[in-house]
Amino acid sequence: MLPNVIFWMCMVLGLQSWHCAADLCNWSGSGFAAGVDTRIVLQVRLRCTEGSVRWIYPGQALRVVLEPNLSSARRTIVCIKPSPSFRGASVFIERAGELELLVTDGEQPEQQVFCFRADGPHRPVIYLQSSPQIDGVWSRRTMGFRYELLGNRSAAPNLGHDALQTSCRPCNDTELLMAVCNSDFVVRGSISNVSHDPARQTSLVEVSAVRVYWQRSGVFEQQPASSRSSPPAPSWRGHIHTLLQCHVKPGDGEFLFTGSEHFGEAWLGCAPRYKDFLSVYQAAWAARRNSCDFPLD
């Protein structure tokens, strides 16, 4: 069960606003006053599906409740990415009043993304437990993390063995038709290069695209048009992350890349050859089974 602590409720107790300054998405505050009473737990409530937490002079503990309007989602996936300076605390998930360890202090969590399912009636809660101060000296470190709440359709990296296996298998026709409608990015192009990171168990796919149908952010950037082409054809370049165990290799051919974006990174979803996608889409269009209209050219 949760420790026998005093919850520091900013809105209820009316403490100084600098201790609990927050907007709808982000929180940045100090745990300095928590050093006065080791039973105090700073509590913060955030109401967005993505944002950040920055904890200066981390004290005893910090409890972050994520409570956006998720009434339409049956299940939610929460992903957090610790900041590079994250040291001196362990991260827990709170489920029905009990804590489950997610990241242990000293695990070198930078560049990693940790995800968990937040099913049931309770709001997702992230609990940070600060490590004891050395010789009573107050630490001047700063720690924090970015968070995202994802829907069922989103591909969440590092979510466990079953999810990883699913993300490597080819998409069936139904999944492909949904992917071109719901993905964070849809891009037509070829694979220029693939590099591997054994430490993160991921691969980075460099994509040279002839068309970006849409993207949620600027993952794919337009390159200067070549003067040799007539008329000049726009070229886009970007990188897509996928799992090392998916064994993606560079090769010839044109693909339709779809997927989701997490913390400014693109993650691969369905990626059929473009000619195969055209066959599936045209058959669905003729049978009026397509989920959305897709521009064919």
Side-chain angles (χ1 to χ4, degrees):
M1 299 296 291
L2 284 173
N4 183 17
V5 296
I6 299 175
F7 286 119
W8 192 350
M9 303 295 292
C10 306
M11 299 302 294
V12 175
L13 298 183
L15 301 181
Q16 293 98 326
S17 60
W18 67 271
H19 289 307
C20 306
D23 58 26
L24 293 177
C25 305
N26 309 301
W27 178 82
S28 180
S30 171
F32 182 79
V36 178
D37 190 335
T38 59
R39 299 173 299 165
I40 288 178
V41 174
L42 291 172
Q43 179 158 286
V44 176
R45 296 182 180 272
L46 300 175
R47 301 185 181 276
C48 292
T49 56
E50 60 181 82
S52 64
V53 170
R54 184 170 177 260
W55 195 16
I56 308 169
Y57 294 102
Q60 176 69 8
L62 176 67
R63 185 174 185 262
V64 181
V65 183
L66 306 178
E67 48 183 10
N69 182 12
L70 299 174
S71 58
S72 60
R74 293 183 179 178
R75 293 187 302 173
T76 301
I77 295 170
V78 180
C79 292
I80 67 171
K81 184 175 184 178
S83 64
S85 61
F86 194 98
R87 293 291 188 279
S90 297
V91 183
F92 297 83
I93 307 163
E94 182 183 323
R95 299 182 191 271
E98 296 188 356
L99 299 181
E100 299 177 12
L101 182 63
L102 185 66
V103 183
T104 303
D105 182 18
E107 277 191 359
Q108 305 283 332
E110 65 269 21
Q111 304 302 320
Q112 295 187 41
V113 175
F114 300 89
C115 301
F116 62 94
R117 294 197 183 279
D119 300 327
H122 300 285
R123 297 295 187 182
V125 176
I126 301 169
Y127 189 94
L128 276 67
Q129 179 70 53
S130 178
S131 300
Q133 304 295 318
I134 301 175
D135 298 329
V137 177
W138 191 260
S139 172
R140 295 190 177 185
R141 62 182 182 266
T142 299
M143 61 182 59
F145 59 87
R146 297 166 63 188
Y147 69 89
E148 287 186 344
L149 281 76
L150 312 175
N152 289 333
R153 67 172 177 83
S154 299
N158 301 338
L159 189 56
H161 179 75
D162 293 340
L164 299 187
Q165 293 288 355
T166 300
S167 64
C168 289
R169 65 170 177 79
C171 296
N172 59 37
D173 292 354
T174 301
E175 291 169 333
L176 175 55
L177 293 172
M178 291 298 297
V180 297
C181 301
N182 296 332
S183 291
D184 291 335
F185 63 88
V186 180
V187 175
R188 176 159 60 97
S190 58
I191 299 176
S192 302
N193 188 41
V194 180
S195 57
H196 306 291
D197 186 346
R200 293 184 64 187
Q201 288 294 294
T202 59
S203 297
L204 188 63
V205 183
E206 182 179 342
V207 173
S208 177
V210 296
R211 181 161 183 186
V212 174
Y213 295 96
W214 55 78
Q215 59 176 327
R216 183 158 65 91
S217 60
V219 173
F220 296 89
E221 298 180 346
Q222 190 168 12
Q223 306 297 305
S226 173
S227 59
R228 297 180 180 179
S229 60
S230 182
S235 178
W236 300 74
R237 291 192 180 275
H239 294 84
I240 304 176
H241 296 259
T242 189
L243 301 169
L244 184 64
Q245 68 185 58
C246 293
H247 305 296
V248 175
K249 299 179 180 179
D252 298 331
E254 192 173 52
F255 297 85
L256 189 70
F257 300 96
T258 70
S260 55
E261 296 181 20
H262 307 293
F263 305 110
E265 297 178 341
W267 284 83
L268 188 62
C270 299
R273 291 189 177 273
Y274 184 66
K275 62 180 180 63
D276 295 334
F277 161 73
L278 285 179
S279 177
V280 171
Y281 181 82
Q282 289 169 346
W285 185 84
R288 298 184 178 181
R289 292 186 293 103
N290 51 318
S291 302
C292 63
D293 292 329
F294 188 83
L296 301 180
D297 48 26

